[in-house]
Amino acid sequence: MVRRTFQLIPGVGPWKEKDLWARGIHTWEDFPDSGVVLGQKADGLARQRLAQAREALERRDLGALAGMIPPREHWRLYPEFARDAVYFDIETNGKQEQEPTVVALFDADGLRVFILGRNMDELPEAMAQRALWVTFNGSVFDVPVLRNYFGKRFPTPQAHIDLRFVCRRLGMGGGLKEIEDKLGMGRPPHMKGVNGWDAVLLWRAYLARGDVEALRFLVEYNLYDSFQLRSLMDTAYNRALDDLNLDELARLPVFERGEVLYDVSRLILELGPTQRDLNVLERVRAQDRDLRQD
């Protein structure tokens, strides 16, 4: 799809791009080396930009390509750079100065979880390993929260696809879970109806009582928020091709979450209490003994 993108040429928007396709100029290679296509002045710049784009794609320079293509069209870069993508979501403490409590990443290496008070400090380095970030509302919420928390340590991706806005353009409005349900990608029964505020309450229960079961439930909820994004990204890309009537382009196989559910279970079961959690439990038990003695 990226090789069919002409909106990287200054002055070419969606309508001019479709006009080029209608005239048989389907890919960068189809743009004539001579003659008038867009206009005498525009054609020289167009050929220059297309040459730059070809070179960037050959180098697999995602940042250069993303800089040429309007952000609303960054979804077109996805198939070429899917191996470089990380799908992620965060939960926070719900306070005015929001702090990340749990962050789940899903990429070509699998699932990872970062938890405040355990390994959250390792998150910036993990994020920096991936050039393409995929989120749902992440440009509005997740990334600003993380950047505020980590400051200069937090990296900047070469490209960021926020599926909230991609889906909205395709007529799929609403929140992530609402869209998942409409697409038949709903969550298991025990996850139905769980929302962001529940995530805050689960974190508070873990902090207050060292409740590891609350933490495990929270982590499972957050993991679904991350790996479901890959299925949604695949689906959104295919629907965007449908929307442009590009029937000749291959559709992506939609990721099946069954491939990672074993890893979800393993990560959750590995979450045992820390020494801090045990200390919390000891304090709670001591308070209980004091109350009974009174």
Side-chain angles (χ1 to χ4, degrees):
M1 180 61 208
V2 66
R3 292 177 177 83
R4 297 190 62 136
T5 298
F6 292 99
Q7 292 186 50
L8 50 80
I9 300 170
V12 174
W15 296 109
K16 280 191 179 180
E17 181 179 63
K18 288 179 181 178
D19 179 62
L20 289 172
W21 293 343
R23 290 157 59 187
I25 304 173
H26 299 298
T27 69
W28 298 340
E29 288 69 29
D30 296 331
F31 199 94
D33 293 330
S34 60
V36 178
V37 182
L38 297 169
Q40 284 189 327
K41 290 185 177 180
D43 284 351
L45 181 56
R47 294 183 180 107
Q48 180 183 351
R49 292 283 282 188
L50 292 174
Q52 291 171 348
R54 281 193 290 269
E55 290 172 8
L57 186 56
E58 202 170 304
R59 297 193 311 269
R60 293 195 56 77
D61 190 339
L62 174 59
L65 285 168
M68 286 188 266
I69 297 172
R72 69 176 182 275
E73 305 298 342
H74 281 180
W75 62 270
R76 301 180 181 207
L77 296 163
Y78 176 66
E80 294 285 350
F81 295 95
R83 289 287 301 178
D84 299 314
V86 59
Y87 315 82
F88 70 95
D89 184 82
I90 77 170
E91 308 303 335
T92 70
N93 58 6
K95 297 181 180 178
Q96 187 170 358
E97 288 294 325
Q98 305 232 37
E99 289 183 340
T101 55
V102 177
V103 181
L105 307 185
F106 179 52
D107 59 19
D109 293 329
L111 289 166
R112 283 174 288 176
V113 176
F114 299 84
I115 301 171
L116 188 63
R118 296 193 179 206
N119 62 341
M120 186 64 76
D121 285 346
E122 300 171 16
L123 180 66
E125 288 69 29
M127 298 287 294
Q129 294 172 9
R130 296 299 174 185
L132 175 61
W133 294 359
V134 180
T135 65
F136 190 94
N137 202 40
S139 61
V140 176
F141 182 72
D142 304 61
V143 171
V145 169
L146 293 173
R147 197 170 299 286
N148 184 63
Y149 180 76
F150 288 106
K152 293 180 180 179
R153 285 188 59 212
F154 196 66
T156 298
Q158 294 182 36
H160 179 179
I161 301 173
D162 190 330
L163 286 171
R164 174 189 170 189
F165 302 105
V166 176
C167 289
R168 182 186 292 175
R169 285 178 61 198
L170 296 170
M172 296 186 288
L176 175 60
K177 297 161 194 65
E178 181 182 350
I179 294 172
E180 289 174 354
D181 286 339
K182 289 177 181 177
L183 295 176
M185 298 189 299
R187 306 188 181 199
H190 69 289
M191 286 279 137
K192 292 286 186 182
V194 184
N195 57 42
W197 183 244
D198 293 324
V200 171
L201 297 179
L202 288 166
W203 177 254
R204 290 178 180 176
Y206 167 62
L207 279 188
R209 302 187 299 275
D211 188 339
V212 175
E213 287 306 311
L215 179 65
R216 285 173 175 160
F217 196 100
L218 173 59
V219 167
E220 183 179 11
Y221 169 76
N222 187 233
L223 284 167
Y224 270 88
D225 277 349
S226 65
F227 67 76
Q228 294 269 88
L229 290 175
R230 180 174 170 185
S231 302
L232 182 57
M233 181 72 247
D234 294 338
T235 301
Y237 176 83
N238 293 341
R239 290 204 173 195
L241 295 187
D242 294 341
D243 192 58
L244 292 171
N245 297 313
L246 297 174
D247 298 332
E248 69 277 14
L249 290 185
R251 271 47 176 175
L252 296 175
V254 177
F255 175 74
E256 293 286 344
R257 68 188 183 198
E259 298 176 35
V260 297
L261 291 184
Y262 170 80
D263 292 326
V264 171
S265 300
R266 177 180 55 80
L267 284 171
I268 293 169
L269 290 173
E270 286 175 355
L271 286 174
T274 64
Q275 188 58 50
R276 176 197 163 281
D277 300 330
L278 294 173
N279 291 341
V280 168
L281 287 170
E282 187 56 40
R283 287 198 302 272
V284 170
R285 288 167 182 158
Q287 290 169 0
D288 180 58
R289 285 195 297 270
D290 292 343
L291 287 172
R292 281 184 289 171
Q293 287 171 2
D294 290 345

